[in-house]
Amino acid sequence: MDVHFHGGASWLYNLFSGTIESSLKGTLAKQGCDQGKDAINKQANKALESLPVTVNLDKSALINYALVDTPKFTDTFVETQHKGEFFLRAAPTAEAPLAPRDLPPISKVDNMVYLWLTEYMANTAGYVYFKSNSLHRLITPDMIPKADRDKYALNTTTFKQYLPQLYNKYPNMSMTLLLNNSAPMNISLTGGAVFGSVPGSIGVNVLTGNKTTEDAFVIGIRVHFNATIGVTTNNSKVLLVGKAYYISTDIELLSSNIGTFSVSLRVA
């Protein structure tokens, strides 16, 4: 920018043109930066407001990944914090009764992307699927593959050797199994390892000759497992993958209409 005055007392004004020029440059530059920042912020906020913050996963659940704090910009990285919580589609604003842990501070910037996930995300998923009854399953005789029905038929005869009191009370009768989760799945992260447990029950019902169903017994079961989680790519897509490993199962008899029998064992 050059400032030069003409006419009148311009010879006098021009003595101070350098000072005036410097002042105008600073003022205009500041106004330009302020207006530019304001325009960028307004456009950025408008763009962020139009972005979707939920994804429907299935008929029961959705995940909300809305920002929970202002994005952090530094000279070396950009950091954003998102909700990462599962919700019931029937109640998309009802929070799970769980508290998230604080995320650790970023200590490395060697890689292009760092992704932090906490057990809170997994446990809200367990809570949502428990509340929606999505994990209830009724297994009927016709659901057993034909190739396996001779060996694994849902009939009291199959259990004659192992549970004679069931066969004695209900000889050669078809059965159904009611699989139910009795509490939400629990996930914990310890020292970089993922541990989980799934509590549930198996209700054994007998289809009697008069086309009614009688409860035989209910077994409580809790499966323990550990898991590994990683990130991979497939066709230019970044995927979060995991693999669970079975550890052990705890079993107990919750109720019985065929008398008491021992299930106090631990399968490992």
Side-chain angles (χ1 to χ4, degrees):
M1 175 186 288
D2 293 321
V3 177
H4 192 75
F5 296 94
H6 299 274
S10 58
W11 63 271
L12 178 61
Y13 301 147
N14 284 327
L15 294 176
F16 303 98
S17 62
T19 301
I20 296 172
E21 179 181 310
S22 177
S23 177
L24 284 174
K25 282 182 178 179
T27 301
L28 292 175
K30 183 177 186 303
Q31 290 181 349
C33 288
D34 290 344
Q35 291 178 0
K37 288 180 180 178
D38 185 60
I40 290 172
N41 287 335
K42 287 181 178 178
Q43 292 297 322
N45 287 335
K46 186 177 180 180
L48 287 174
E49 288 174 357
S50 66
L51 290 175
V53 295
T54 62
V55 173
N56 292 331
L57 300 176
D58 50 37
K59 65 180 182 180
S60 300
L62 63 83
I63 186 170
N64 185 313
Y65 56 91
L67 286 168
V68 295
D69 200 356
T70 303
K72 180 180 179 181
F73 295 87
T74 72
D75 294 336
T76 54
F77 65 87
V78 177
E79 179 183 359
T80 61
Q81 294 192 23
H82 300 264
K83 199 172 190 67
E85 180 178 350
F86 282 69
F87 285 83
L88 284 164
R89 288 187 62 176
T93 60
E95 300 267 354
L98 304 168
R101 295 195 304 174
D102 292 334
L103 292 173
I106 293 178
S107 58
K108 294 182 180 181
V109 290
D110 300 330
N111 297 318
M112 291 185 63
V113 177
Y114 287 89
L115 176 66
W116 291 97
L117 296 176
T118 70
E119 56 200 30
Y120 174 77
M121 182 177 180
N123 286 328
T124 60
Y127 175 80
V128 164
Y129 285 109
F130 169 71
K131 294 296 288 185
S132 66
N133 295 325
S134 298
L135 303 181
H136 291 201
R137 292 290 185 273
L138 179 64
I139 309 299
T140 58
D142 59 294
M143 296 173 66
I144 305 299
K146 290 183 178 180
D148 298 326
R149 288 180 186 176
D150 289 340
K151 187 175 182 180
Y152 301 108
L154 281 180
N155 188 289
T156 57
T157 304
T158 306
F159 299 87
K160 181 178 181 179
Q161 180 179 353
Y162 308 102
L163 199 55
Q165 56 266 56
L166 174 64
Y167 179 81
N168 292 337
K169 186 170 182 178
Y170 305 105
N172 194 27
M173 293 185 182
S174 296
M175 302 159 46
T176 63
L177 303 179
L178 179 60
L179 310 183
N180 185 21
N181 58 325
S182 55
M185 173 184 67
N186 180 262
I187 297 292
S188 62
L189 304 178
T190 305
V194 181
F195 295 94
S197 64
V198 182
S201 64
I202 302 175
V204 177
N205 304 309
V206 177
L207 304 175
T208 60
N210 55 3
K211 297 183 179 181
T212 61
T213 300
E214 293 188 14
D215 298 334
F217 58 89
V218 179
I219 291 177
I221 185 170
R222 181 180 291 270
V223 179
H224 304 273
F225 63 90
N226 61 13
T228 58
I229 298 176
V231 176
T232 186
T233 58
N234 183 19
N235 295 328
S236 300
K237 294 182 179 180
V238 179
L239 303 175
L240 181 67
V241 297
K243 187 175 183 180
Y245 300 89
Y246 169 78
I247 297 179
S248 63
T249 302
D250 297 324
I251 301 176
E252 62 175 333
L253 181 63
L254 298 180
S255 63
S256 174
N257 291 322
I258 60 172
T260 303
F261 56 95
S262 176
V263 291
S264 58
L265 54 85
R266 184 179 180 88
V267 180

